[in-house]
Amino acid sequence: MRSDIPASLANLKHFLAISDLEPNVLADLVDFGIQRKKQFREGKLEPVLRGKALAMIFQKASLRTRLGFETAMVQLGGHAINLEDHQVGLTRREDVRDVARVISSMCDGIMARVYGHQLVVELARFSSVPVINGLSDFSHPCQALTDMLTIKEKLGRLAGLKLAYIGDANNVARSLMNACAMMGVNFAAAAPPGYQFEEGDLATGRLLADRSGSQVMQTDKPAEAARDADVLYTDVWTSMGQEDESEQRDRAFAGYQINRELLKQARPDAMVMHCLPAHRNLEITDEVLDGPQAVAFEQAENRLHAQRALLEVLMRPR
Ligand code: CP
Ligand code: NVA
């Protein structure tokens, strides 16, 4: 079968950070994911990765990322191998260069969830097969790709919308800001002082937003960020690796919860998103997460569809 992958995606080698992509590449990835999801539902997907193997390294816990990649490989006729990092010992047992070289000699792609972002950069540098960032302390591009797909599928467009992110300026938030800025979605972040985006991150977001004609703003007032938003989004206040700070963070973020009151600031039909896992009744109430405006569980399912499309783009023989 001739590949119908958009030509703009032909040169995509790795998937490490949203800010590495050209806006048209991200836009085409989103549309390709939506197209493949529809074909999947119609039973029309071809096993285009038959005989291919994806090596997955996890330095941190995961449910959605692992399930999404492993299930996607099965659906495409290939196989995923979960290499627990306590077995691989990335940097401790073996140099990243050597790990990248060995995996490249046996597998067709690498997915890595790491602490320091530099590790995925190094893996990509020394690997001859595609490397996908399955979350680093700096970014979570698979999540942001999925989030754009989810918003476009649910609301029919991206440009001109307003997304309010209430919470920690973390990996998820950074990728989301850049994806919104590239796609013309106005992005408003609200976090307490000390947990906001640094100037360098904001500058990157604003540069991308200038090019798409959207805006990036940051405030310490959740109601201001949420005002007239089409989408409210949050993530945990304490990310993996920050567990020692959780009490201090819970205190700092009190007042930054997505709840019924905050939802009133947004548009009446606003959609509520959460990348999950959620810390229920901290960053979001049960009532909102389980309520009619939340799409967090469709968002979670869409990890499978977005990641399957990404695997096809990166690993399908041309
Ligand atoms: N949202 C997300 O990446 O979920 P996991 O940490 O469970 O993979
Ligand atoms: N910010 C969270 C996201 C988990 C999917 C973390 O890094 O733990």
Side-chain angles (χ1 to χ4, degrees), residues 58 61-66 113 134-135 140 143 240 275-277 303:
F58 285 97
S62 170
L63 176 65
R64 282 143 287 267
T65 305
R66 177 177 174 192
R113 167 166 286 197
L135 180 146
H140 197 1
Q143 184 66 55
M240 290 180 280
C275 59
L276 301 179
R303 295 292 300 281

Side-chain angles (χ1 to χ4, degrees), residues 135 170-172 235-236 239-240 276:
L135 180 146
N170 60 17
N171 43 11
V172 167
D235 181 17
V236 291
S239 284
M240 290 180 280
L276 301 179

Side-chain angles (χ1 to χ4, degrees), residues 5 18 34 45 75-76 105 117 171 210 214 235 246 276 309:
I5 296 173
I18 293 292
I34 292 173
L45 276 200
Q75 291 171 347
L76 292 174
S105 73
H117 186 74
N171 43 11
D210 282 348
S214 62
D235 181 17
S246 70
L276 301 179

Side-chain angles (χ1 to χ4, degrees), residues 78-208:
H79 185 76
I81 301 160
N82 185 19
L83 299 168
E84 301 283 348
D85 189 45
H86 63 259
Q87 304 274 7
V88 179
L90 204 55
T91 74
R92 298 182 310 280
R93 180 169 185 265
E94 194 160 0
D95 193 281
V96 182
R97 278 174 292 190
D98 301 343
V99 172
R101 197 166 159 187
V102 170
I103 297 179
S104 298
S105 73
M106 298 191 215
C107 297
D108 306 279
I110 304 175
M111 193 291 305
R113 167 166 286 197
V114 297
Y115 284 96
H117 186 74
Q118 195 54 29
L119 260 188
V120 284
V121 173
E122 292 283 300
L123 276 172
R125 187 163 154 225
F126 295 106
S127 161
S128 59
V129 297
V131 175
I132 299 171
N133 176 6
L135 180 146
S136 66
D137 286 353
F138 174 74
S139 70
H140 197 1
C142 296
Q143 184 66 55
L145 170 64
T146 306
D147 297 340
M148 293 301 108
L149 182 154
T150 304
I151 297 170
K152 186 151 186 191
E153 198 181 42
K154 304 286 296 178
L155 302 183
R157 67 193 173 106
L158 289 169
L161 296 174
K162 176 182 177 183
L163 183 147
Y165 177 88
I166 314 296
D168 189 28
N170 60 17
N171 43 11
V172 167
R174 186 175 294 105
S175 294
L176 187 65
M177 170 171 70
N178 290 336
C180 284
M182 270 185 196
M183 296 296 94
V185 178
N186 298 297
F187 181 85
Y195 298 96
Q196 300 185 345
F197 286 111
E198 291 180 2
E199 275 310 314
D201 285 324
L202 280 182
T204 304
R206 286 185 173 140
L207 193 74
L208 297 168

